[in-house]
Each structure stands twice: as structure tokens, then as C-alpha cells.
């Protein structure tokens, strides 16, 4: 069963902690519940987006540096 991780706020979704750093996770990576999979930035405030369940990252909705709105699917975890 798949679980969708939903954006709680609008902003820019980043898959990596800094431009010169590797992504938090990639498609196909195993994740633990509570693990950070990205951040959303709005007005220089960063909100960590965490996996709600353990599983494997099946897909990301937005591209890295992509805009998201509340309710948008950030990632799907199988």
C-alpha cells in the first residue's frame, strides 16, 4: 500500500539540504518513519518534510527547487 507525503505549506521544495550537498533521499531509497526527505522554504523559513511511514521512495511530485502548494503530493512511499 502506498502512502503519499503531502505538502503542509506553500513554498519551494528542495530535495537537498544545500545546493552542493547530495539529496536527502532518491527514488528507490529505503526510508524510516520520521526521516527527512526534503524541505519547503517560504520567506527564508525552512520546514522539514518527513516520511510518515517506513518504506521505499516510489516517486517525487515536484522537481527539486519546484513550487508546491498546501495539499500537493511531495512524494509517494511504498
Amino acid at each position: 500500500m502506498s502512502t503519499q507525503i503531502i505538502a503542509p505549506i506553500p513554498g519551494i521544495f528542495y530535495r537537498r539540504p544545500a545546493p552542493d550537498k547530495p539529496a536527502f533521499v532518491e527514488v528507490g531509497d529505503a526510508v524510516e518513519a520520521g526521516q527527512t526527505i526534503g524541505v519547503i522554504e517560504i520567506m527564508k523559513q525552512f520546514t522539514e518534510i518527513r516520511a510518515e511511514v517506513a518504506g521505499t521512495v516510489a516517486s517525487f511530485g515536484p522537481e527539486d527547487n519546484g513550487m508546491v502548494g498546501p495539499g500537493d503530493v511531495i512524494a509517494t512511499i511504498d
Side-chain angles (χ1 to χ4, degrees):
M1 185 165 105
S2 295
T3 299
Q4 293 181 328
I5 307 303
I6 305 299
I9 59 172
I12 301 172
F13 177 70
Y14 296 104
R15 290 183 50 197
R16 54 189 77 239
D20 60 340
K21 301 289 184 194
F24 289 104
V25 295
E26 298 285 357
V27 171
D29 286 354
V31 293
E32 299 293 325
Q35 181 177 340
T36 300
I37 62 167
V39 294
I40 295 176
E41 183 259 329
I42 183 168
M43 299 175 60
K44 305 297 181 199
Q45 297 292 318
F46 292 86
T47 300
E48 288 188 350
I49 304 302
R50 299 178 185 271
E52 298 166 4
V53 296
T56 302
V57 178
S59 65
F60 280 97
E63 295 293 323
D64 189 27
N65 300 329
M67 292 295 296
V68 296
D72 289 353
V73 175
I74 296 284
T76 301
I77 299 182
D78 289 337

